[in-house]
């Protein structure tokens, strides 16, 4: 709805509630009538019931009688299923981030990504987003505040990149030999 628009007509004709009246994001939760929530829960229950509850017992989780990701080659099928799991995990993380963002900023729409015109020609303006200021910190046009925030953004970005490397490097290359704390007898290898 943020990009393509909303359906025409009524969500609930008996209540006079149009699709256009329902806000985007978390604010929509308060607009859905109780019977609407009942329909949503009933449909979810129907889908779970119709799919059955034994898929995890048979060793075919998520198999509801039709196959979209399949292959006669077992290695290819395993790769596809692993991709589906990885993408599903990413989508679960992304939707939680969108909920959080919507709760903090108030929207997840194009205006959040595009920001208000103020510093479009500064370093860091990149396609496809352009100038990115989701909270609107720069909407007042204060140059000194912008420069301070840009400096802080660079510092935090560098620290975050180092933190990512610190998180990944021991997993890939292994840990240092020897002791992290000789007096406590704590080896690098003992640190999870």
């Amino acid at each position: 709805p943020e990009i393509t628009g909303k359906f025409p007509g009524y969500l609930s004709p008996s209540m006079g509630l149009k699709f256009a009246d329902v806000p985007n994001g978390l604010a929509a939760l308060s607009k859905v009538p109780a019977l609407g929530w009942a329909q949503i829960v009933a449909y979810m229950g129907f889908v779970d019931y119709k799919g059955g509850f034994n898929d995890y017992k048979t060793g075919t989780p998520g198999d509801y009688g039709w196959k979209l990701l399949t292959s006669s080659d077992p290695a290819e099928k395993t790769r596809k299923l692993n991709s589906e799991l990885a993408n599903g995990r990413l989508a679960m993380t992304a939707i939680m981030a969108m909920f959080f963002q919507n709760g903090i900023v108030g929207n997840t729409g194009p205006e959040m990504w595009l920001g208000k015109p103020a510093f479009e020609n500064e370093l860091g303006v990149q396609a496809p987003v352009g100038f990115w200021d989701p909270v609107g910190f720069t909407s007042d046009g204060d140059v000194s505040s912008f420069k301070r925030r840009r400096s802080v953004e660079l510092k935090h970005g560098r620290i975050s990149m180092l933190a990512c490397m610190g998180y990944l490097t021991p997993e890939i290359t292994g840990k240092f030999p020897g002791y992290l704390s000789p007096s406590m007898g704590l080896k690098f290898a003992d640190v999870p």
Side-chain angles (χ1 to χ4, degrees), residues 22-56:
V22 178
N24 294 332
L26 296 175
L29 298 177
S30 64
K31 294 288 186 179
V32 178
L35 287 176
W37 284 113
Q39 289 174 344
I40 291 168
V41 170
Y43 179 73
M44 289 172 19
F46 171 75
V47 169
D48 276 349
Y49 175 76
K50 194 71 175 155
F53 300 99
N54 293 324
D55 59 333
Y56 70 95

Side-chain angles (χ1 to χ4, degrees), residues 125-160:
V125 177
Q126 300 174 14
V129 176
F131 181 67
W132 189 70
D133 181 21
V135 184
F137 284 133
T138 61
S139 59
D140 62 359
D142 184 356
V143 174
S144 64
S145 293
F146 170 79
K147 288 183 178 180
R148 184 186 65 75
R149 288 190 186 101
R150 178 54 48 95
S151 171
V152 170
E153 179 185 17
L154 283 168
K155 291 175 187 175
H156 289 174
R158 290 171 182 163
I159 290 169
S160 296

